[in-house]
């Protein structure tokens, strides 16, 4: 039990509260607030084991009214949910995740890598072995014959923006402020791991009372440097055919309005990355759609002819740049809060918050605009692509199975019958390419794609986190049969927590995306698609066993009707539809570098290698 103590004759500032380390940790997190008064932490996901149930579990129970705890079914999945929660809140709110030692902790590693790659905050609190080593080795303990201090939690070090092992209760006084600083840093944002030895969790210490005083956490916006602004303005003023590439930093910087104002004032067309999609309304006259390997023909054709590319808040990963071949001819100006990203590809860097950077840059450009013919071309190309999307996604019943584009169209059309906004969630397989091209949204954050790590299994767990962050939205999870089979446990969690999802499973009987890639590299289809002898999985029946409502549909028309039933439902609703594993949207796209064997006995691989060597010549080194 916590108790307030004060030394005889001491002033009020020396008052202390005796708490266990775990109690102090939870109490500290529970009093943090954002500038609008909301709790910084939405609570914690927890799966208990011997490494955290007695210490941290007791603390979470004690503070359950101010710091909610949510039970999940898989450690990796609950961390995905926490990460999605932070992404849906544009990194302004977050969650903690705790597991036991051993497999519970190592199950979090994939999610830690996902959060690190995507620059998303999550506080990981894995249990650890006894610091005292009295019961050494404890159950699930990894032993290293060369280093007695090693535990499996050391694997989190390269996957964390900040890592600390709390071996004394008083370490929290420095570790927790550092952890919060890392979690809320615009540039260094990402996962933080505090490794919690199970004996130290239960140790008591007299903490200063003011350590637990309610406090506001402020998110700092990095202002631009004057000389960098002037250099950026000079580069743009010399451009005739500029292009903006909008990345996730536009959304996290809440810069959608600033982006639209900047693009309109200077007549610059906009293309969006996977992380940046929804930064500009889908039907805006300067919207070219998706860019890169999964990009639209409008965006990619202008990228190929642009003389300056203004990349805002993007990591410039290979899918965006066509493995550094798509806009190799252009001069690059990177506006990014992170200097590491701002200096990529030897471009001119402007390190700043997206909103502050755009607002400061625009006045320096004065009346400068892109060339008239360039603006006309961009607007015509963007409108032509929007009309093409309408044709691709229209209802078209005929022989054979539907493909992903037609399914997306049916899901999208069902939103016309709903007053609430939709958020589509996806991560891996064929669907990210199709959704990047074809999904339409006018709401920042209406497109929730985890494509930095492209982690199969994120989808349903991520959808749960989005629903917890945005309870008024209709959260639609779209995924393939491969991702579903890899991780579906949080369907049960969504039902248990009364967080309704609409889940659309596209069953193409295997890993269709990688199967096509395999064949494009000259190989025969091998080890990706399920053989005819494999059992047919009844996904609807499986989801029903986890507590969801569900049905299997046989056509696009049936899917449209099922979507109406799903929207009217009060709990998680799964719809499964069989789809064609071979068909994709042919419009758009560009080269992506996937290494092909230099020597092979297969003629197809030999031809693919020759194409590969030719394509590599177009890269900007």
């Amino acid at each position: 039990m916590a108790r307030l103590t004060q030394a005889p004759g001491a002033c009020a500032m020396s008052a202390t509260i005796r708490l266990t380390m775990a109690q102090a940790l939870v109490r500290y997190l529970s009093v943090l607030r954002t500038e609008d008064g909301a709790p910084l932490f939405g609570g914690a996901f927890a799966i208990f084991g011997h490494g955290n149930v007695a210490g941290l579990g007791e603390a979470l129970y004690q503070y359950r009214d101010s710091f909610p705890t949510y039970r999940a079914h898989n450690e990796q999945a609950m961390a995905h949910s926490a990460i999605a929660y932070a992404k849906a809140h544009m990194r302004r709110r977050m969650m903690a995740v705790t597991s036991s030692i051993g497999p519970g902790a190592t199950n979090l590693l994939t999610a830690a890598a996902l959060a690190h790659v995507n620059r998303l905050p999550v506080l990981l609190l894995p249990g650890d072995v006894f610091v005292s080593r009295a019961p050494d080795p404890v159950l699930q303990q990894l032993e290293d014959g060369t280093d007695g201090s090693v535990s499996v939690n050391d694997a989190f070090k390269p996957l964390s923006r900040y890592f600390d092992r709390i071996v004394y209760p008083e370490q929290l006084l420095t570790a927790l402020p550092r952890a919060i600083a890392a979690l809320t840093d615009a540039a260094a944002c990402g996962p933080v791991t505090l490794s919690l030895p199970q004996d130290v969790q239960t140790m008591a210490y007299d903490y200063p009372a003011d350590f637990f005083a309610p406090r506001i956490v402020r998110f700092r916006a990095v202002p631009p440097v004057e000389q960098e602004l002037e250099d950026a303005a000079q580069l743009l003023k010399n451009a005739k055919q500029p292009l903006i590439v909008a990345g996730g930093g536009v959304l996290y910087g809440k810069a959608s309005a600033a982006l639209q104002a900047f693009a309109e004032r200077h007549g610059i067309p906009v293309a969006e990355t996977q992380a940046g999609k929804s930064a500009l309304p889908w039907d805006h006259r300067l919207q070219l759609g998706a860019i890169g390997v999964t990009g639209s023909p409008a965006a990619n054709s202008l990228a190929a002819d642009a003389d300056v590319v203004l990349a805002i808040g993007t990591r410039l990963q290979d899918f965006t740049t066509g493995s550094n071949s798509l806009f190799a001819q252009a001069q690059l100006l990177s506006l990014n809060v992170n200097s590491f990203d701002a200096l990529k590809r030897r471009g001119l860097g402007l390190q700043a918050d997206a909103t502050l950077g755009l607002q400061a840059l625009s006045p320096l450009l004065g009346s400068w605009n892109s060339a008239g013919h360039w603006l006309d071309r961009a607007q015509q190309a963007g409108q032509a692509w929007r009309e093409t999307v309408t044709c691709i996604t229209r209802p078209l019943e005929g022989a054979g199975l539907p493909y992903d584009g037609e399914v997306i169209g049916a899901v999208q059309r069902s939103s016309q019958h709903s007053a609430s906004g939709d958020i589509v969630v996806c991560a891996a397989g064929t669907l990210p390419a199709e959704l990047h091209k074809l999904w339409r949204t006018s709401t920042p954050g209406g497109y929730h794609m985890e494509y930095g790590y492209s982690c199969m299994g994120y989808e349903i767990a991520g959808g749960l986190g989005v629903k917890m962050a945005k309870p008024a939205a209709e959260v639609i999870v779209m995924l393939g049969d491969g991702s579903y089979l890899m991780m579906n446990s949080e369907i049960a969690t969504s039902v248990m927590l009364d967080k309704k999802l609409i889940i659309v499973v596209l069953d193409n009987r295997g890993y269709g995306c990688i199967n096509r890639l395999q064949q494009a590299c000259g190989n025969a289809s091998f080890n990706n698609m399920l053989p005819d002898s494999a059992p047919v999985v009844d996904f609807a029946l499986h989801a029903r066993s986890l507590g969801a409502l569900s049905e299997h549909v046989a056509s696009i028309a049936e899917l449209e009707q099922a979507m109406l039933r799903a929207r009217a439902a009060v709990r998680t609703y799964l719809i499964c539809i069989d789809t064609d594993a071979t068909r994709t949207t042919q419009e758009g796209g560009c080269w992506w570098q996937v290494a092909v064997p230099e020597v092979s006995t297969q003629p197809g691989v030999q031809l693919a290698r020759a194409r590969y060597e030719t394509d590599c010549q177009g890269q900007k080194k």
Side-chain angles (χ1 to χ4, degrees):
M1 187 71 179
R3 57 189 177 92
L4 188 67
T5 63
Q6 187 170 333
C11 65
M13 290 299 292
S14 65
T16 60
I17 303 175
R18 189 162 182 80
L19 299 168
T20 68
M21 182 269 275
Q23 292 163 359
L25 187 156
V26 177
R27 182 165 181 162
Y28 181 89
L29 297 180
S30 71
V31 301
L32 302 176
R33 293 291 183 272
T34 64
E35 291 180 273
D36 60 5
L40 179 66
F41 282 84
F45 274 103
I47 293 179
F48 292 131
H50 71 89
N52 65 344
V53 67
L56 193 57
E58 186 276 342
L60 289 169
Y61 176 81
Q62 185 175 148
Y63 293 101
R64 64 193 182 279
D65 292 334
S66 59
F67 197 82
T69 299
Y70 303 98
R71 183 194 179 284
H73 290 86
N74 177 285
E75 288 92 355
Q76 181 187 146
M78 69 180 182
H80 289 333
S81 296
I83 294 163
Y85 178 91
K87 180 177 172 68
H89 276 299
M90 305 305 180
R91 309 195 302 192
R92 295 319 197 268
R93 296 189 66 197
M94 58 205 66
M95 297 189 79
V97 176
T98 180
S99 73
S100 185
I101 69 171
T106 53
N107 279 351
L108 297 175
L109 290 172
T110 296
L114 183 150
H116 196 294
V117 169
N118 288 283
R119 288 83 187 278
L120 293 169
V122 62
L123 178 58
L124 304 175
L125 303 171
D128 209 333
V129 299
F130 278 71
V131 165
S132 69
R133 304 188 189 177
D136 191 50
V138 71
L139 177 65
Q140 300 178 322
Q141 179 175 344
L142 177 147
E143 293 183 277
D144 187 324
T146 64
D147 187 343
S149 67
V150 167
S151 82
V152 296
N153 286 358
D154 288 279
F156 286 97
K157 289 181 177 179
L159 305 177
S160 302
R161 293 290 184 173
Y162 176 76
F163 176 93
D164 207 343
R165 180 175 277 112
I166 309 301
V167 296
Y168 292 99
E170 55 265 43
Q171 278 183 253
L172 288 183
L173 296 171
T174 53
L176 280 173
R178 290 173 181 172
I180 299 305
L183 289 165
T184 58
D185 188 289
C189 181
V192 165
T193 302
L194 297 182
S195 180
L196 307 178
Q198 57 178 299
D199 52 345
V200 182
Q201 290 178 42
T202 64
M203 293 178 183
Y205 180 75
D206 293 321
Y207 290 93
D210 61 1
F211 187 62
F212 307 105
R215 64 196 67 201
I216 294 173
V217 176
R218 304 189 189 279
F219 292 83
R220 296 175 181 170
V222 178
V225 174
E226 183 177 353
Q227 185 58 56
E228 290 184 358
L229 276 173
E230 292 175 357
D231 292 343
Q234 188 58 48
L235 178 61
L236 276 174
K237 284 180 177 180
N238 291 329
K240 302 290 186 185
Q241 301 181 169
L243 173 69
I244 291 173
V245 175
V250 175
L251 296 172
Y252 301 143
K254 297 190 175 183
S256 291
L259 169 66
Q260 183 169 329
F262 185 89
E264 290 175 349
R265 178 174 178 180
H266 303 292
I268 308 178
V270 178
E272 296 174 326
T273 71
Q274 284 279 15
K277 187 175 171 72
S278 75
L280 198 66
W282 70 271
D283 56 352
H284 191 277
R285 63 184 178 85
L286 293 173
Q287 174 67 269
L288 296 175
I291 191 168
V293 176
T294 57
S296 75
N300 285 355
S301 71
L302 269 79
D305 291 334
D307 52 11
V308 171
V309 168
L310 171 56
I312 307 174
T314 170
R315 297 191 304 126
L316 293 171
Q317 65 146 312
D318 60 348
F319 257 62
T320 298
T321 66
S323 299
N324 289 334
S325 68
L326 181 56
F327 40 88
Q329 79 294 334
Q331 292 182 279
L332 180 65
L333 169 60
S334 286
L335 168 55
N336 204 297
V337 72
N338 192 320
S339 61
F340 180 83
D341 292 320
L343 297 176
K344 284 179 178 174
R345 291 187 64 183
R346 302 197 308 276
L348 179 64
L350 174 55
Q351 186 182 0
D353 168 79
T355 297
L356 296 182
L358 289 172
Q359 290 177 342
L361 182 58
S362 188
L364 296 182
L365 297 175
S367 60
W368 171 83
N369 277 268
S370 66
H373 72 275
W374 179 251
L375 182 58
D376 291 342
R377 175 184 166 185
Q379 293 182 132
Q380 291 168 10
Q383 180 58 31
W385 172 238
R386 288 187 283 275
E387 293 171 0
T388 300
V389 170
T390 300
C391 292
I392 291 171
T393 58
R394 71 189 187 281
L396 183 62
E397 299 293 345
L401 295 172
Y403 94 104
D404 301 47
E406 294 157 359
V407 173
I408 291 169
V411 172
Q412 189 92 76
R413 285 190 296 275
S414 72
S415 66
Q416 298 170 6
H417 304 275
S418 174
S420 62
D422 287 352
I423 301 176
V424 67
V425 180
C426 190
T430 303
L431 276 165
E434 300 294 344
L435 287 164
H436 195 201
K437 290 180 182 180
L438 305 177
W439 187 259
R440 291 173 162 176
T441 183
S442 297
T443 304
Y447 181 81
H448 184 110
M449 180 67 65
E450 189 288 293
Y451 210 61
Y453 212 47
S454 187
C455 182
M456 293 177 67
Y458 173 90
E459 298 91 340
I460 294 172
L464 172 61
V466 174
K467 187 67 176 181
M468 294 175 74
K470 303 292 181 181
E474 196 74 87
V475 178
I476 302 171
V477 177
M478 298 188 70
L479 75 166
D481 55 300
S483 281
Y484 182 94
L485 289 172
M486 195 166 285
M487 191 175 296
N488 51 62
S489 55
E490 303 323 299
I491 290 177
T493 308
S494 74
V495 175
M496 179 176 67
L497 297 180
D498 194 24
K499 303 298 181 184
K500 176 203 163 186
L501 306 174
I502 297 177
I503 303 170
V504 182
V505 178
L506 288 74
D507 184 3
N508 64 13
R509 297 278 292 168
Y511 302 142
C513 175
I514 294 302
N515 188 61
R516 290 190 303 275
L517 178 60
Q518 184 178 56
Q519 293 174 305
C521 293
N523 274 309
S525 178
F526 175 66
N527 197 46
N528 284 313
M529 304 308 291
L530 294 174
D532 293 338
S533 59
V536 175
V537 178
D538 190 333
F539 293 100
L541 181 61
H542 181 267
R544 211 171 301 140
S545 74
L546 296 176
L549 302 171
S550 63
E551 60 181 293
H552 183 280
V553 298
S555 67
I556 293 297
E558 289 184 16
L559 174 59
E560 295 205 34
Q561 292 303 309
M563 281 298 302
L564 299 182
R565 291 188 287 274
R567 288 182 182 277
V570 295
R571 72 175 188 265
T572 293
Y573 201 110
L574 180 141
I575 306 167
C576 180
I577 184 169
D578 297 336
T579 57
D580 190 332
T582 63
R583 293 172 57 201
T584 61
T585 298
Q586 296 303 302
E587 292 85 350
C590 68
W591 180 65
W592 179 40
Q593 185 173 11
V594 176
V596 179
E598 189 172 358
V599 176
S600 175
T601 59
Q602 298 183 71
V605 175
Q606 294 169 6
L607 289 172
R609 175 68 190 193
R611 291 195 302 269
Y612 171 77
E613 291 177 356
T614 299
D615 290 337
C616 284
Q617 295 174 11
Q619 282 181 304
K620 184 174 183 178
K621 303 300 182 182

